[in-house]
């Protein structure tokens, strides 16, 4: 959208200013830290000069963008259980935010707090949630359903035409959370629309932080390392910038889990090296550069340590067994 409404250069500038590698554009399924994503969306809205950029962004967002987390909710026996599922399993989708159900007389308010609204502008991010959330409710309550009211975690701006047309309900500004009110009498409703996924999802398809091993709990960091590797970047300082903490803080957090940054970097390099050698015809020298090695010999030594064979021998065996 930024490319359409501004330019490709503007988009690259936004990513650079937020310490994100350009390779994130080629990997839309890669997760980035929530706070970073919010800041990028807000910067995009400012760059294109559109007051209701978030609403337009939301129009291009679907349940599939939320993956198995949304799929598990859609597969609930009724709306009430679906709402409980998305709240209970939020850590499987993102870390640092909060989702809960608030009682309000004859209504239940589905609330979401990003954690940034008290200190930063989050309007565009909040607005982009509405389209997918309303589609979710209407999947159970019918295409003509609308909430009795909604809540947003920012003060009322001058222009809200698109948002008003989208929600078609009373909007409560300046709340501590994003929220959508639903009548308690509607909670028993079953899914009436077609499941927006090609298959049903179970709880087994989700991994929460409690289910993960030490290495898996660093999955978000591994994704950042993978993204930066796509640009050949491997330094700890740059990785720490992406997740908005200092290098020493990152090292301490990893140490508490018995890990080092080098452990995770080597893990990411090994996985990508095996994929490069198995799935492409790229020369070993080029693969070494892609993985951030300044000298091919250093890559060969590392690969021999991982797999007990050279990259060339590994590729030959992979071809022989294919």
């Amino acid at each position: 959208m930024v490319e359409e409404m501004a330019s490709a250069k503007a988009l690259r500038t936004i990513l650079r200013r937020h310490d994100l590698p350009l390779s994130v554009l080629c990997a839309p399924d890669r997760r980035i830290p929530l706070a970073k994503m919010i800041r990028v969306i807000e910067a995009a809205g400012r760059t294109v000069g559109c007051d209701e950029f978030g609403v337009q962004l939301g129009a291009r967002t679907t349940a599939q963008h939320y993956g198995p987390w949304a799929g598990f909710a859609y597969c609930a026996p009724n709306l009430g259980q679906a709402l409980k599922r998305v709240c209970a399993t939020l850590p499987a989708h993102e870390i640092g935010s909060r989702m809960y159900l608030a009682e309000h007389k004859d209504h239940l308010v589905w609330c979401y707090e990003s954690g940034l609204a008290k200190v930063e502008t989050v309007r565009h991010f909040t607005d982009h949630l509405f389209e997918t959330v309303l589609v979710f409710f209407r999947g159970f309550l019918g295409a003509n359903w609308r909430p009795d009211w909604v809540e947003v975690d920012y003060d009322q701006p001058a222009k809200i035409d698109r948002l008003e047309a989208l929600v078609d309900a009373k909007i409560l500004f300046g709340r501590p959370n994003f929220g959508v009110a639903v009548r308690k009498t509607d909670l028993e409703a079953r899914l009436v629309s077609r499941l927006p996924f090609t298959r049903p999802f179970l709880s087994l398809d989700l991994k929460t932080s409690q289910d993960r091993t030490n290495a898996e709990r660093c999955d978000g960091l591994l994704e950042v390392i993978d993204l930066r590797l796509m640009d050949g970047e491997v330094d700890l300082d740059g990785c720490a910038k992406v997740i908005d903490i200092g290098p020493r803080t990152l090292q301490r957090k990893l140490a508490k889990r018995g890990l080092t940054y080098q452990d995770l970097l080597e893990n990411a390099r090994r996985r990508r090296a095996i994929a490069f050698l198995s799935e492409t015809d790229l020369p070993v020298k080029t693969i070494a550069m892609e993985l951030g090695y300044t000298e091919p010999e250093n890559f060969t030594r590392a690969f021999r340590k991982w797999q007990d064979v050279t990259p060339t021998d590994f590729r030959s065996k992979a071809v022989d067994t294919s």
Side-chain angles (χ1 to χ4, degrees), residues 1-11 44 47-48:
M1 279 185 65
V2 175
E3 286 184 299
E4 295 173 13
M5 301 173 73
S7 66
K9 180 180 179 181
L11 178 57
T47 298
V48 302

Side-chain angles (χ1 to χ4, degrees), residues 34-55:
L34 177 63
K36 185 74 67 175
M37 180 175 68
I38 293 174
R39 289 167 183 149
V40 167
I41 291 175
E42 297 304 312
R46 291 192 297 271
T47 298
V48 302
C50 177
D51 291 339
E52 297 193 81
F53 174 78
V55 177

Side-chain angles (χ1 to χ4, degrees), residues 8-21:
K9 180 180 179 181
L11 178 57
R12 291 194 296 270
T13 298
I14 291 171
L15 294 177
R16 282 197 297 268
R17 285 178 177 172
H18 291 83
D19 302 302
L20 285 173

Side-chain angles (χ1 to χ4, degrees), residues 94-134:
E94 64 187 39
I95 303 297
S97 57
R98 179 173 174 242
M99 189 173 285
Y100 56 95
L101 300 173
E103 297 271 351
H104 193 283
K105 296 182 180 179
D106 297 329
H107 291 78
L108 206 62
V109 182
W110 180 24
C111 302
Y112 172 78
E113 294 181 11
S114 66
L116 284 184
K118 294 180 180 179
V119 294
E120 297 185 29
T121 301
V122 296
R123 177 189 176 185
H124 297 303
F125 174 77
T126 295
D127 285 355
H128 107 282
L129 300 174
F130 274 112
E131 181 81 27
T132 308
V133 168
L134 293 175

Side-chain angles (χ1 to χ4, degrees), residues 288-305:
M289 294 177 60
E290 290 285 340
L291 297 175
Y293 289 97
T294 54
E295 298 293 336
E297 294 78 9
N298 294 337
F299 167 55
T300 298
R301 279 194 294 271
F303 194 86
R304 187 190 292 274
K305 178 182 176 183

Side-chain angles (χ1 to χ4, degrees), residues 195-308:
L195 182 70
F197 294 89
T198 56
R199 68 175 180 87
F201 285 93
L202 305 173
S203 60
L204 295 176
D205 296 314
L206 304 176
K207 276 193 174 182
T208 64
S209 57
Q210 290 85 359
D211 299 325
R212 296 173 177 174
T213 63
N214 270 352
E216 288 174 320
R217 289 191 190 107
C218 296
D219 193 36
L221 181 57
L222 282 171
E223 295 229 2
V224 170
I225 292 173
D226 275 338
L227 275 174
R228 301 188 75 246
L229 271 177
M230 291 171 71
D231 282 351
E233 298 173 350
V234 298
D235 60 298
L236 182 147
D237 288 4
C239 188
K241 278 186 177 181
V242 172
I243 58 176
D244 290 322
I245 63 175
R248 292 184 179 179
T249 301
L250 175 56
Q251 289 174 314
R252 285 196 297 270
K253 286 179 177 290
L254 291 174
K256 288 180 180 178
R257 295 173 180 166
L259 297 168
T260 67
Y261 177 74
Q262 193 63 30
D263 292 334
L264 299 183
L265 176 60
E266 290 302 292
N267 186 324
R269 277 175 155 169
R270 178 181 59 80
R271 288 185 290 106
R272 292 186 68 78
I274 289 173
F276 272 128
L277 292 166
S278 304
E279 301 169 12
T280 77
D281 294 325
L282 289 176
V284 170
K285 181 178 180 180
T286 302
I287 294 174
M289 294 177 60
E290 290 285 340
L291 297 175
Y293 289 97
T294 54
E295 298 293 336
E297 294 78 9
N298 294 337
F299 167 55
T300 298
R301 279 194 294 271
F303 194 86
R304 187 190 292 274
K305 178 182 176 183
W306 300 329
Q307 302 296 127
D308 290 326

